[in-house]
Amino acid sequence: MKKLLTLIALIMGAMVLAACGGNDGDGTGRLAADHNAADVTFAQNMIPHHRQAVEMAGLAETQAASPEVKTLARQIRDAQAPEIATMVGWLNDWDESTMAPDSGQGGGHDMNGHGGGGGGMNDNAGGMMSEGGMASLKNASGAVFDRMFLEMMIEHHRGAVEMAQTELRDGRYGPAKELADSIKNTQNTEIATMQDLLGRV
């Protein structure tokens, strides 16, 4: 009987240890099982995507002619800059690189790390602008800038919406899926706004 009680105690102790082992113990409340490869890919790809959008929006401060384009650009910058910080935080928590695998350091790389083309507005996957497209935007001003910015940002947003839809379908991490849903809804609304502005600039 004593041996049986000892065995039961050992089994119960092992069960308690196993349950405790499921916690990460670092106070973050995040478990390894809470995210998957799709979540990592979403964050790694969306970070450079957002950074390029913020860069494009920054150009509008001094180069756009339309007050509405300037307002929209500030809206894009103010929304996406904090999201970059959030996604960097996730990747750090997961001990993952904050750069997409095989991605380059400069502009004009697509979401798969391939070099961008020379002069196309959008030669890259995910709606990312090529080096040539970004150079053209940097050299434009006034009404020419406004139209170029809107056309480029519409394509950029469409790429982000596609990436967000992939995360909603394949991701596991709750906050990442919530962010993907927000990106999809916000950027679809902004696409409609930009399409309307294109007819007036």
Side-chain angles (χ1 to χ4, degrees):
M1 183 66 181
K2 185 176 180 181
K3 289 183 178 180
L4 179 60
L5 290 173
T6 301
L7 180 61
I8 292 172
L10 287 172
I11 292 172
M12 293 298 293
M15 290 173 66
V16 169
L17 286 173
C20 292
N23 295 318
D24 57 11
D26 63 0
T28 65
R30 296 188 177 95
L31 309 180
D34 282 348
H35 75 280
N36 61 13
D39 299 317
V40 174
T41 298
F42 170 71
Q44 287 178 333
N45 288 345
M46 194 62 82
I47 287 168
H49 199 272
H50 270 24
R51 282 176 175 157
Q52 189 178 68
V54 169
E55 181 183 3
M56 293 167 67
L59 296 174
E61 288 292 328
T62 56
Q63 293 169 231
S66 167
E68 291 172 292
V69 169
K70 288 187 177 185
T71 298
L72 176 67
R74 283 193 294 269
Q75 177 181 312
I76 290 170
R77 181 197 62 201
D78 292 347
Q80 296 195 21
E83 291 173 353
I84 293 170
T86 295
M87 291 183 285
V88 167
W90 294 341
L91 291 170
N92 287 335
D93 285 342
W94 301 334
D95 292 324
E96 297 284 354
S97 171
T98 55
M99 292 184 63
D102 301 322
S103 66
Q105 294 287 343
H109 288 78
D110 67 13
M111 294 289 88
N112 296 314
H114 304 133
M121 182 187 78
N122 176 23
D123 297 331
N124 300 312
M128 289 285 282
M129 297 301 110
S130 67
E131 289 179 1
M134 286 298 293
S136 296
L137 187 64
K138 289 175 182 178
N139 290 328
S141 62
V144 173
F145 175 91
D146 292 344
R147 177 162 288 276
M148 190 179 296
F149 173 84
L150 293 169
E151 290 173 346
M152 286 184 169
M153 195 62 83
I154 286 170
E155 291 304 309
H156 204 266
H157 272 29
R158 284 174 176 161
V161 169
E162 289 178 6
M163 293 160 63
Q165 289 172 332
T166 298
E167 167 63 15
L168 288 169
R169 184 188 68 228
D170 300 334
R172 177 187 296 162
Y173 188 55
K177 292 170 77 73
E178 290 171 9
L179 177 59
D181 190 55
S182 175
I183 288 171
K184 182 189 72 171
N185 293 332
T186 299
Q187 298 204 18
N188 272 330
T189 299
E190 289 174 348
I191 287 170
T193 298
M194 290 186 286
Q195 288 172 330
D196 178 63
L197 281 174
L198 265 176
R200 296 188 278 114
V201 297

